[in-house]
Amino acid sequence: MNDSPSAASSDPAIPAEAILSQLPDAVVCSDTAGTIRLWNAAAEKLFGFSAAETLGQNLDIMIPERFRRAHWIGFERAVQTGRVAHEGEVRLTRATHKDGRRLYVDITFGLVKGTDGSVIGVVSTARLAEPPGQVE
C-alpha cells in the first residue's frame, strides 16, 4: 500500500479553501503593501473582525499602535530581502481585538513568493496565548 500524499486515490482533492476556512489557527495574508487579502474564520474568532470588515484594509487593524512602527520596519525588510527575521519561530506578541481588548497571541510569519521567486505577499498564523507569567 502506498501512503504517499502524491499517490493516486479515488478520494477527491481537498480544496485549499476548505482547509483554510476550517483551520483552528488564524490565517492572515496581505500583499506587499500590507493590505489584507485573506482572513480565515479562525481570524474572525480571534480578532473579532469579519472577513468583510478586514479584506482590503491595512494590517494596522489588528496591530496595537505602540507596535506598529517596529512591525512595519520588519515587514518592509522582509519584503525587500525575501527573508523573515524569525522564520519558523513562534513569537509571542500583542494584538488588538475589534472591541479594543489587547490580546497576547502566538504568531508565525512567512513570505508568499511568486513562481519567479519574488515576494508577492506575507502570511501569518496566530492563536490566543497566555499572558507572560500566567503559564503553569
Side-chain angles (χ1 to χ4, degrees):
M1 176 177 202
N2 186 346
D3 291 326
S4 167
S6 62
S9 170
S10 62
D11 294 333
I14 299 172
E17 188 174 308
I19 295 168
L20 285 170
S21 70
Q22 297 173 48
L23 193 68
D25 288 335
V27 178
V28 177
C29 186
S30 74
D31 60 22
T32 57
T35 302
I36 298 168
R37 300 297 178 199
L38 180 124
W39 185 270
N40 75 345
E44 290 182 346
K45 184 177 177 183
L46 179 61
F47 299 110
F49 296 97
S50 70
E53 292 173 293
T54 61
L55 296 176
Q57 299 298 313
N58 189 279
L59 288 168
D60 283 347
I61 198 167
M62 65 182 195
I63 302 169
E65 178 127 11
R66 71 185 189 117
F67 295 112
R68 289 178 185 168
R69 184 172 184 275
H71 164 81
W72 289 112
I73 289 170
F75 183 96
E76 291 171 7
R77 183 182 312 122
V79 168
Q80 290 173 358
T81 65
R83 293 193 45 213
V84 176
H86 302 283
E87 188 169 1
E89 295 178 28
V90 177
R91 309 289 292 182
L92 178 66
T93 192
R94 300 300 300 266
T96 302
H97 190 275
K98 179 180 179 178
D99 67 12
R101 284 182 290 142
R102 298 292 188 243
L103 308 172
Y104 282 96
V105 295
D106 285 330
I107 196 163
T108 60
F109 298 98
L111 298 174
V112 180
K113 295 184 179 180
T115 55
D116 65 354
S118 66
V119 176
I120 59 172
V122 178
V123 64
S124 64
T125 61
R127 64 174 50 171
L128 190 62
E130 292 293 325
Q134 301 226 356
V135 178
E136 295 180 17

